[in-house]
Amino acid sequence: MKIDVTAGMTGINFSPQSTEAEVIQNVRCILATRKGSVPFDRAFGVSWDMLDRPLPVAKAMMIAAVVEAIQEYEPRAEVRGVKFNADGDAAMEGILNPVVTIEINEGKSTSSLHGRRYVSTAASAPKAETNAETEAVTTSDVSIITQKAEQAIAAAKAATAALANLEPRLHEIEASDYSAIYDQG
């Protein structure tokens, strides 16, 4: 079953009644946490490296950051897609609100993340088996997203270089326009 998750935290349930509720809460927490803001786990959360980047580049970077963070900190959630809320006011202000579509894979274990022991608080703990085919799809998805992010970054660099080449010409045009105005007066 596919579930859409956003960053909004409404409170923390320290004893969720199901694995699904726990995974959704964990994904929300990951999305709502800026990487570097958790004192004893600075790597936890989503990177904000996309800040002040052109919108297409920022979207690609955010997708990659979200997928990476969820894979690392909540392996039971498999990211199936990332889209962005089309809120007009937020878009005008450059705010990206990701909506992550996940599927819950109860077969993945949370017992060894980053060499630490994480304990499931759900009523039924997940089984410690993995599905190699699902992992391959997830890895493939991440490599495609990473490739698209790299393409978007390359396109942004090319656009920046093109603008840099145009800038001296714009100054020449402005200077010639001013001289034409002053010559008439």
Side-chain angles (χ1 to χ4, degrees):
M1 175 171 76
K2 293 183 180 179
I3 304 164
D4 286 341
V5 182
T6 60
M9 291 292 290
T10 56
I12 296 175
N13 181 354
F14 290 103
S15 127
Q17 297 303 307
S18 67
T19 300
E20 181 178 305
E22 180 181 17
V23 170
I24 292 169
Q25 177 175 276
N26 291 347
V27 170
R28 281 193 175 123
C29 183
I30 292 166
L31 293 174
T33 305
R34 180 180 181 180
K35 195 175 221 176
S37 66
V38 178
F40 292 106
D41 192 357
R42 298 289 184 192
F44 182 82
V46 177
S47 169
W48 281 19
D49 289 342
M50 74 287 301
L51 195 64
D52 292 332
R53 303 285 178 133
L55 190 59
V57 174
K59 281 183 175 181
M61 290 176 75
M62 179 170 273
I63 290 169
V66 163
V67 170
E68 180 182 310
I70 292 171
Q71 280 183 336
E72 193 165 335
Y73 284 95
E74 185 46 86
R76 296 171 295 175
E78 295 182 21
V79 178
R80 294 296 181 204
V82 179
K83 58 188 175 194
F84 298 92
N85 279 341
D87 180 6
D89 293 335
M92 291 301 293
E93 293 182 23
I95 298 171
L96 293 175
N97 294 315
V99 178
V100 182
T101 303
I102 63 168
E103 279 190 47
I104 297 174
N105 180 359
E106 295 187 34
K108 288 201 176 179
S109 172
T110 58
S111 64
S112 180
L113 294 172
H114 305 288
R116 301 179 190 107
R117 181 150 181 84
Y118 283 73
V119 178
S120 173
T121 57
S124 61
K127 297 176 185 130
E129 57 194 52
T130 60
N131 182 339
E133 183 180 316
T134 305
E135 288 177 4
V137 170
T138 304
T139 304
S140 173
D141 291 344
V142 171
S143 66
I144 290 169
I145 291 169
T146 303
Q147 183 181 26
K148 289 187 180 204
E150 289 170 353
Q151 289 171 350
I153 291 169
K157 286 180 179 178
T160 303
L163 287 173
N165 290 335
L166 286 176
E167 190 175 6
R169 179 70 182 121
L170 290 174
H171 291 297
E172 291 173 17
I173 293 170
E174 289 175 3
S176 66
D177 288 346
Y178 288 131
S179 64
I181 292 169
Y182 289 121
D183 289 344
Q184 290 177 3

